[in-house]
């Protein structure tokens, strides 16, 4: 009965995130998508908006829950009774940081293991920052994000 957490800022959720969510949800009993408040990033979307956009994007998945959180991820995982952290590993640039984070989270909560998934090849280059950048310069982001995000972005112009 494994419960896993996939955490991120999701400002906004992209097709790359959705790919990781869909694939990891097949590996566990319940996947909790944890949307970080993350004030250090000064997000474009408020926490409640980001949670709602993730909810709409995953509504076809029956074993996925979406919640907002602040504070330490290791503490949140304990509260949620989750044993696994899912992380996407897009390439060599991610590895050092991700291993450090995995070890730190395991130190903070020794029963917590990190599971890395490579992204599907078409989303390897994608990030929320790039989506926001394309949007800022009036580009069309429809191919990179769920439809609800494209729609929500129009109200940010
Ligand atoms: N597809 C598309 N984009 C992806 C991706 C994928 N598969 N995987 C990662 N990304 C993007 C993210 O969108 C993010 O883009 P951005 O910087 O443009 O917003 C970037 O890659 C980095 O991802 P990530 O490292 O997951 O950052 P994040 O801000 O989304 O999430 C938290 C980081 C919330 C998981 C982390 O800060 C955290 O755990 N915070 C809580 C405090 C804590 O416990 N800290 C650790 C111990 S000190």
């Amino acid at each position: 009965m494994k419960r896993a957490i996939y955490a991120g800022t999701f400002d906004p959720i992209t097709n790359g995130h959705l790919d990781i969510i869909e694939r990891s949800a097949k590996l566990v009993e319940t996947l909790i998508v944890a949307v970080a408040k993350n004030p250090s990033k000064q997000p474009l979307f408020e926490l409640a908006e980001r949670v709602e956009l993730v909810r709409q994007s995953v509504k076809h998945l029956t074993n996925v829950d979406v919640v907002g959180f602040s504070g330490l991820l290791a503490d949140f995982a304990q509260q949620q009774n989750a044993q696994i952290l899912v992380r996407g590993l897009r390439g060599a640039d991610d590895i050092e940081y991700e291993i450090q984070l995995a070890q730190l989270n395991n130190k903070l909560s020794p029963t917590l293991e990190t599971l890395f998934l490579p992204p599907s090849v078409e989303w390897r280059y994608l990030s929320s920052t790039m989506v926001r950048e394309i949007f800022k310069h009036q580009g069309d982001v429809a191919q990179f994000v769920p439809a609800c995000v494209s729609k929500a972005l129009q109200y940010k112009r």
Side-chain angles (χ1 to χ4, degrees), residues 16 18-28 61 117-120:
L18 196 53
D19 165 55
I20 299 284
I21 292 169
E22 286 172 342
R23 286 162 54 222
S24 56
K26 289 183 192 152
L27 304 176
V28 297
L61 301 169
L117 284 185
S120 297

Side-chain angles (χ1 to χ4, degrees), residues 111-155:
T111 55
L112 201 52
E113 293 293 350
T114 298
L115 185 70
F116 294 116
L117 284 185
S120 297
V121 73
E122 68 259 52
W123 309 124
R124 197 177 150 197
Y125 54 86
L126 199 55
S127 73
S128 300
T129 300
M130 285 184 188
V131 167
R132 292 196 306 273
E133 186 76 4
I134 295 167
F135 165 75
K136 197 172 94 186
H137 296 290
Q138 329 299 327
D140 183 7
V141 297
Q143 60 180 308
F144 304 118
V145 294
C148 60
V149 173
S150 279
K151 213 166 157 190
L153 277 167
Q154 287 166 17
Y155 295 99

Side-chain angles (χ1 to χ4, degrees), residues 6-20 34-38 40-41 69-75 85 87-90 94 97-98 101 104-105 108 117-120 123-132:
Y6 179 50
T9 309
F10 303 109
D11 185 41
I13 182 170
T14 68
N15 288 342
H17 296 127
L18 196 53
D19 165 55
I20 299 284
V35 183
K37 190 159 192 248
N38 218 344
S40 59
K41 278 201 170 177
F69 84 103
S70 56
L72 281 179
L73 182 56
D75 290 344
L85 293 178
R87 299 289 291 167
L89 204 55
R90 288 167 301 172
D94 284 350
Y97 170 71
E98 289 297 337
L101 202 62
L104 188 65
N105 280 321
L108 291 169
L117 284 185
S120 297
W123 309 124
R124 197 177 150 197
Y125 54 86
L126 199 55
S127 73
S128 300
T129 300
M130 285 184 188
V131 167
R132 292 196 306 273

Side-chain angles (χ1 to χ4, degrees), residues 54-102:
V54 177
R55 264 194 197 130
Q56 288 180 33
S57 306
V58 303
K59 63 176 186 238
H60 58 296
L61 301 169
T62 52
N63 65 333
V64 176
D65 294 334
V66 184
V67 277
F69 84 103
S70 56
L72 281 179
L73 182 56
D75 290 344
F76 182 72
Q78 267 184 345
Q79 283 164 28
Q80 294 289 322
N81 196 21
Q83 306 84 9
I84 299 169
L85 293 178
V86 172
R87 299 289 291 167
L89 204 55
R90 288 167 301 172
D93 287 352
D94 284 350
I95 288 178
E96 271 305 314
Y97 170 71
E98 289 297 337
I99 288 180
Q100 191 185 4
L101 202 62

